[in-house]
Amino acid sequence: MTIVRSASHAGSWYSASPVTLGKQLDEFLKAAPAAVPGARILIGPHAGYTYAGKTLAETYNTWDTSNVKRVFILGPSHHVYFKNTAYLSGAGEYETPFGNLPVDTTITKALLKTKVFKTMDIDTDEEEHSFEMHAPYIYKLTESSGRGVPSIIPIMISYGDSTFSDELASVLSGYLKDEENTFVISSDFCHWGSRFAYMAYTPTGDVSDLVLLNQRMKVPEGGVKIYKSIEALDKEAMAIASQGSSAAWKRYIKTTGNTICGQKPLGILMEAIEKVREDEEYGGDWAKFKWIGYSQSSRVISPRDSSVSYASGYAIA
């Protein structure tokens, strides 16, 4: 019997009605940039569509679906902590309001033969939202292609040392070379405020002069607004990701502490891309990220406020 991973966040984080949801996504996609030939590495947020739906539409509307057969989705774990392994879905299908997406069980079985993967239980799968929020867009952008919807391979990543990261990147690099495979990083950007235990602030908009605020402090006179400081932090992260250096990415995260929830999945994908670039056929500029849009859930003015940031991007591969 096929195990179906239910659309557990439908009706709360996004509409469970296929008609209502379809109209909403149509509006989001209508305002987004057009498809980009060769764009098959994507990065986009996973918050509720009220907050991040437009930004996620920017990501998916650039997607070149002409050859896609499989979608690898790399996302963080929000509810469980695990170390030096990556979790795969044990389900055979992912439910969406539009219809079900098949999980590529042939690929998952092959991945489980390596020492870096395990299978997550269905409760962990259904509690996590980082894959589910992308599923309706994947279904909608491919259902009318005439080739059917692609299979998906959700990969959950928590913590891993450098050896694990290298091993996982090595496994994924082989799949990256296949033009029938799309890779998606599911990630929000800065989570700012006391409830996220992150209140870094740059009064000048330059991340080299970060200070730590608390709820009782005031923004220094003449300093930039907090939301502009958050934007400066995120834009620096985006610029570094665009350079394509996983080492530079790790240094940025260590230096700033920016609470980008998908920082580890993105770092591992960057390592995998670097391994592909070692092949002369691809070269050093292959699959460098380009950014489309950026937004925040709210404009933080006071240290008592909070926000989450969202960014949309892609790489041609």
Side-chain angles (χ1 to χ4, degrees):
M1 185 178 73
T2 300
I3 298 173
V4 178
R5 191 271 187 200
S6 68
S8 53
H9 293 71
S12 54
W13 290 48
Y14 60 99
S15 176
S17 163
V19 174
T20 301
L21 182 61
K23 289 179 180 178
Q24 183 185 40
L25 298 197
D26 282 339
E27 288 300 311
F28 288 160
L29 292 164
K30 189 186 303 181
V36 177
R40 63 177 182 89
I41 299 178
L42 311 174
I43 181 166
H46 48 236
Y49 289 172
T50 301
Y51 297 102
K54 291 181 180 179
T55 307
L56 190 56
E58 292 170 348
T59 295
Y60 276 100
N61 220 37
T62 61
W63 184 20
D64 182 350
T65 63
S66 57
N67 294 317
V68 62
K69 287 189 176 179
R70 300 166 214 90
V71 181
F72 290 74
I73 315 172
L74 280 64
S77 173
H78 288 86
H79 303 288
V80 294
Y81 174 84
F82 49 95
K83 186 176 180 180
N84 291 334
T85 191
Y87 279 177
L88 297 168
S89 178
E93 296 179 1
Y94 258 53
E95 180 187 31
T96 86
F98 302 129
N100 292 0
L101 288 170
V103 174
D104 196 317
T105 54
T106 300
I107 296 293
T108 57
K109 287 176 182 177
L111 293 175
L112 286 168
K113 291 179 181 179
T114 72
K115 60 182 179 180
V116 293
F117 290 95
K118 293 181 180 179
T119 303
M120 71 178 107
D121 61 73
I122 191 64
D123 290 338
T124 298
D125 202 339
E126 292 186 338
E127 190 175 27
E128 179 57 52
H129 61 273
S130 61
F131 310 116
E132 180 180 342
M133 301 309 294
H134 285 244
Y137 276 99
I138 293 171
Y139 196 102
K140 184 169 182 59
L141 268 293
T142 57
E143 65 176 330
S144 59
S145 66
R147 299 184 303 276
V149 296
S151 59
I152 61 172
I153 303 96
I155 300 175
M156 185 190 290
I157 298 167
S158 180
Y159 173 80
D161 59 23
S162 58
T163 299
F164 163 75
S165 297
D166 182 71
E167 291 173 345
L168 180 52
S170 294
V171 172
L172 295 179
S173 64
Y175 292 100
L176 267 172
K177 293 179 180 181
D178 187 340
E179 293 184 0
E180 294 181 337
N181 294 335
T182 288
F183 274 74
V184 176
I185 297 295
S186 176
S187 180
D188 297 337
F189 268 64
C190 184
H191 297 59
W192 198 95
S194 61
R195 68 190 183 101
F196 300 117
Y198 187 74
M199 298 180 71
Y201 170 76
T202 165
T204 64
D206 187 328
V207 297
S208 65
D209 64 0
L210 284 180
V211 296
L212 298 179
L213 300 179
N214 63 54
Q215 288 184 300
R216 297 181 299 277
M217 295 174 68
K218 292 183 178 180
V219 174
E221 187 174 348
V224 301
K225 300 291 187 183
I226 295 176
Y227 70 86
K228 294 300 291 184
S229 168
I230 296 169
E231 181 177 350
L233 271 165
D234 285 332
K235 292 293 179 68
E236 179 72 8
M238 294 156 71
I240 288 171
S242 295
Q243 295 172 11
S245 167
S246 62
W249 177 254
K250 291 175 183 176
R251 284 195 299 271
Y252 167 83
I253 295 298
K254 184 176 181 179
T255 299
T256 66
N258 194 348
T259 46
I260 300 169
C261 56
Q263 59 182 264
K264 290 183 177 65
L266 178 53
I268 287 169
L269 182 64
M270 291 172 69
E271 288 187 55
I273 290 171
E274 287 173 324
K275 291 181 183 296
V276 175
R277 288 179 185 149
E278 293 172 0
D279 188 327
E280 292 182 0
E281 181 182 344
Y282 296 90
D285 288 328
W286 185 79
K288 286 194 172 180
F289 280 103
K290 301 179 186 297
W291 298 95
I292 309 159
Y294 174 79
S295 60
Q296 297 173 352
S297 62
S298 62
R299 287 193 165 191
V300 175
I301 302 295
S302 164
R304 293 183 295 276
D305 299 335
S306 64
S307 76
V308 180
S309 307
Y310 316 113
S312 52
Y314 67 91
I316 296 172

